[in-house]
Amino acid sequence: MKKVINYLLLALIVVLSIITVFPFIYMILTGLMTYAEATSIPPTLIPKSLQFQNYFEVFQRAPFLRYFANTLFVSLFTTAATVITSLLAAFALTSLEFKYKKVVTLVMVSLLMVPYESIIFTNYQTIAQLGLLDTYLALILPFLTSIFYIYYLNGYLRGIPSTFYKAAKIDGASDLEYIRRILVPMCKPALVTVGILTFIMSWNSFLWPLLATNTKYYRLLNNGLSAFTTESGSDVQLQMAAATLTVVPILIIYFVFRKEIIRGVAKNGIKG
């Protein structure tokens, strides 16, 4: 009976895996089809010949290289800022003693319950009043830190004995020296996790860049893909090729760093 249950669970996992992976595989294959194959009924699953020229045509029709450069710049800057500010804030909440510390922590945890969509127009009004619309600052400024990652790192740092900090202070090290020489190496898995997840979130952002930018010069990848889908009309194969261009870099990053992500989350769960 136990073996039967195990086989059923294995079969369920296989079926769910196929359901999850199939849309990505079909997207990639459709991006390599001709127009007739991409729009055929019943649908063609495998192209007769690979149409790599679809990707060249995508770059000719829309400035995707510009979209890539914008998205990469914004994602890298946002990731670096979020990792640094989240680590500093988590260190302050964990190791430093200051007035109203519990109140600050309670407010931060409460803000986790506030949906991002409820404050996005407030952010928009602020950016507009500062005259920063359609600039890189508009895309970066609201995401220089993250309460969620502060809380995540705070839970991770609580698992590090306070004796390390006290010993460092006795040796005359400043707080920044302690963070750089001791804290960063000890919580590297968590920092890598924060960095990768922040990069993925920034790379996939859509709503805020749509509000904050008005021209192609500052447009990010997903907004460019949305505009291209409208402009390309019925060219399904080109739309799928463009969609593949936006997804593949993130998949590569995930597969390269998946062990670090799992390690960071697992250690946080054990220590928390």
Side-chain angles (χ1 to χ4, degrees), residues 80-182:
T82 300
V83 170
I84 293 172
T85 56
S86 298
L87 177 61
L88 293 176
F91 163 75
L93 292 175
T94 305
S95 302
L96 301 183
E97 294 297 332
F98 54 90
K99 197 174 183 180
Y100 304 121
K101 180 178 178 178
K102 292 183 178 180
V103 176
V104 172
T105 304
L106 180 61
V107 171
M108 290 179 59
V109 174
S110 301
L111 289 175
L112 288 174
M113 309 299 172
V114 179
Y116 170 70
E117 290 76 9
S118 64
I119 61 173
I120 190 170
F121 290 107
T122 303
N123 288 341
Y124 176 81
Q125 290 293 334
T126 303
I127 294 295
Q129 290 173 5
L130 292 174
L132 297 177
L133 289 178
D134 219 29
T135 64
Y136 287 119
L137 272 177
L139 297 170
I140 294 171
L141 202 57
F143 306 100
L144 291 180
T145 191
S146 168
I147 293 177
F148 173 77
Y149 291 127
I150 292 174
Y151 186 71
Y152 167 78
L153 289 176
N154 182 39
Y156 194 96
L157 296 184
R158 287 185 182 277
I160 299 176
S162 60
T163 52
F164 286 100
Y165 178 65
K166 294 176 181 178
K169 298 304 289 184
I170 291 173
D171 290 339
S174 65
D175 288 340
L176 290 179
E177 286 177 332
Y178 167 73
I179 293 172
R180 180 170 58 88
R181 295 183 179 182
I182 299 176

